[in-house]
Amino acid sequence: MAKIGITDLDVFPLCLGGNVFGWTADRAESFDVLDAFVAGGGNFIDTADVYSAWVPGNSGGESETILGEWIQARDNRDRLVLATKGSRLAPFEGLSAKAIRGAVEASLRRLRTDHIDLYYAHYDDPATPLEETVAAYDELIRAGKLRYVAASNVSPDRIRASLAFADREGLARYVAIQPQYNLVERTDFERDLLPLAQSENLATIPYYALAKGFLTGKYRPGKEVDSPRAEGAATHLNARGLRVLEVLDAVAATHDVPVAAISLAWLAAQPTIAAPIASARNTTQLAGLLPVGELRLSDDELNRLTAASE
């Protein structure tokens, strides 16, 4: 197990992404994936109120609803670390106190729980004073509806200012960040957010940990992949990406595990990382991710992967 920063939240070193629930995985498939994740030792699940509003016929909240029905059916809430995000779903867009309160209450109803372990500001809201946002989160923590708060897609300057205000006023501060970070998309995080995470004791829980599927190894020159993320993943099929795949293949063969597990293990070994987020739309995909729970790469393997991705 890994600890999320300075919190008392102990988590499996893989966070299961809930973005596929109600999108590429229907209710039954989602239940199967969730059951297999828990059976494999997993306890950390990430979703958002806006998942999956982009799907024709959906309005948002589908992922949280499926997750809530599963939690109720399995009666396992006390064994999970549950994370969700708010600020993008109508009518509670933004990070005003009113929007935050409304979004949190709606998420609690869909998730069929009385508290959320880790709640993220999904996207920043420059129109709202950060002091209002921080105070609203603190109020909900004191009310027992949230345990900890975090930030995703918020600039380093705004995070730093929020932390300073929280410390000055004795309010709850962000304990984690959720940026885009993986073996082939490193620059922005390592330059801008990593120093902040290190100096402020923030845990990092990166999304797109597998670069939209590219780091599973299934995207190769001349090979077509049937996936809604294929176009995004294929952008990494360049000299650098192929160099990374070559090393991933070699390291995966040494450990006799799928390439995806090696990609996640590299990420899990980086500074401040608590658990990378990866999703699976079926149990076959999930099986390729779960080995990261016990997988430890040598310094030489980590260095080879890092060098290939420079």
Side-chain angles (χ1 to χ4, degrees):
M1 288 288 181
K3 195 170 287 293
I4 297 179
I6 59 173
T7 76
D8 60 354
L9 299 176
D10 292 313
V11 296
F12 187 73
L14 169 68
C15 180
L16 182 65
N19 60 308
V20 295
F21 304 151
W23 176 25
T24 54
D26 62 21
R27 185 180 185 276
E29 291 166 330
S30 300
F31 272 42
D32 287 345
V33 167
L34 286 160
D35 286 340
F37 180 62
V38 170
N43 71 331
F44 190 18
I45 303 169
D46 176 271
T47 185
D49 60 2
V50 76
Y51 298 165
S52 48
W54 57 87
V55 178
N58 284 3
S59 56
E62 289 79 14
S63 174
E64 287 184 332
T65 297
I66 288 173
L67 185 52
E69 291 172 353
W70 173 79
I71 289 170
Q72 185 176 64
R74 302 298 183 259
D75 190 23
N76 62 358
R77 176 66 184 91
D78 60 346
R79 299 192 293 277
L80 302 174
V81 174
L82 194 58
T84 192
K85 303 180 281 289
S87 78
R88 296 297 295 272
L89 184 64
F92 305 118
E93 299 101 327
L95 295 175
S96 69
K98 181 179 179 181
I100 288 170
R101 284 192 291 266
V104 167
E105 292 293 347
S107 287
L108 289 170
R109 285 194 298 273
R110 287 188 292 263
L111 291 167
R112 305 191 183 196
T113 184
D114 62 356
H115 71 282
I116 294 162
D117 298 301
L118 187 62
Y119 190 80
Y120 292 90
H122 198 172
Y123 284 84
D124 199 3
D125 173 17
T128 297
L130 59 86
E131 294 83 358
E132 179 179 346
T133 299
V134 172
Y137 285 145
D138 181 80
E139 175 189 319
L140 289 165
I141 287 173
R142 285 187 287 106
K145 296 182 179 183
L146 307 178
R147 291 187 65 192
Y148 298 99
V149 288
S152 180
N153 304 299
V154 178
S155 72
D157 286 346
R158 290 272 287 180
I159 294 173
R160 192 174 286 108
S162 296
L163 294 170
F165 173 73
D167 291 346
R168 189 166 62 247
E169 299 298 321
L171 304 176
R173 71 189 331 254
Y174 294 138
V175 300
I177 54 174
Q178 187 181 128
Q180 181 171 335
Y181 183 45
N182 57 60
L183 192 52
V184 292
E185 295 170 308
R186 295 172 46 192
T187 304
D188 289 350
F189 171 74
E190 292 179 359
R191 180 191 63 214
D192 300 330
L193 282 166
L194 177 57
L196 173 62
Q198 289 176 314
S199 66
E200 295 288 351
N201 293 316
L202 301 174
T204 301
I205 303 165
Y207 68 86
Y208 285 163
L210 293 172
K212 298 182 179 179
F214 176 76
L215 292 170
T216 64
K218 65 185 177 183
Y219 294 88
R220 307 282 177 164
K223 182 179 179 180
E224 289 191 16
V225 177
D226 181 18
S227 168
R229 294 178 168 180
E231 186 176 348
T235 61
H236 299 294
L237 278 174
N238 49 36
R240 176 169 169 259
L242 294 176
R243 194 167 63 238
V244 169
L245 288 179
E246 183 179 359
V247 180
L248 283 170
D249 288 340
V251 177
T254 298
H255 290 271
D256 192 25
V257 298
V259 164
I262 300 297
S263 302
L264 294 171
W266 176 88
L267 198 52
Q270 302 310 303
T272 76
I273 304 296
I277 302 170
S279 56
R281 67 175 185 262
N282 54 51
T283 54
T284 300
Q285 288 187 350
L286 180 68
L289 312 179
L290 286 176
V292 73
E294 297 181 353
L295 184 60
R296 298 296 177 269
L297 303 183
S298 68
D299 289 344
D300 176 66
E301 289 168 334
L302 291 168
N303 290 337
R304 285 162 56 199
L305 287 163
T306 300
S309 70
E310 294 289 354

